[in-house]
Amino acid sequence: MAKMCMIERELKRRNMVEKFKTKRAALNQIILDINASSEQKQEARQKLQSLPRNSSPVRLRNRCSLTGRPRGVYSKFGIGRSKLRDLMMRGEVPGVIKASW
């Protein structure tokens, strides 16, 4: 089980990314626009740099929804590998059966 402060920090980051998504997309569109002047692009870069660091989607980390474990998380299920294995052994994941050959 991960520390609660790490789980809360990740939730805080997800909320901040969602909050600044439109502003960040608009500034990136100005920066990538070939018709924009260099002054407009420079101003957009300055505004983008002034946004909070945690508003960048690159800083997000996938975590297990049950334990908060940061590594070994299957994105299809949103659960860490160890908990996914436990659930599969109990037959709680539909469509997944134990292999035998």
Side-chain angles (χ1 to χ4, degrees):
M1 185 79 181
K3 292 192 279 187
M4 284 305 294
C5 64
M6 300 303 284
I7 296 169
E8 291 297 321
R9 184 183 299 169
E10 190 62 34
L11 291 174
K12 197 171 162 184
R13 278 188 184 137
R14 289 193 186 279
N15 291 336
M16 192 170 287
V17 166
E18 191 62 35
K19 179 180 176 183
F20 286 97
K21 185 194 299 188
T22 55
K23 185 179 279 191
R24 192 171 274 280
L27 291 172
N28 280 327
Q29 190 175 10
I30 292 171
I31 291 170
L32 296 175
D33 185 21
I34 50 177
N35 296 327
S37 66
S38 60
E39 292 85 19
Q40 288 174 334
K41 289 183 179 185
Q42 184 65 27
E43 184 181 338
R45 281 190 201 101
Q46 289 292 329
K47 287 181 181 178
L48 191 63
Q49 287 177 353
S50 68
L51 293 177
R53 284 186 178 175
N54 284 336
S55 68
S56 174
V58 173
R59 293 176 69 100
L60 293 178
R61 178 94 176 157
N62 287 336
R63 288 189 173 267
C64 175
S65 60
L66 300 176
T67 61
R69 188 177 201 280
R71 295 173 183 237
V73 178
Y74 286 87
S75 59
K76 183 176 181 179
F77 302 103
I79 300 173
R81 59 180 175 76
S82 57
K83 286 296 174 182
L84 183 63
R85 183 176 188 273
D86 291 342
L87 292 172
M88 286 190 292
M89 289 297 188
R90 284 188 264 155
E92 297 178 7
V93 180
V96 179
I97 56 172
K98 185 177 178 185
S100 59
W101 61 90

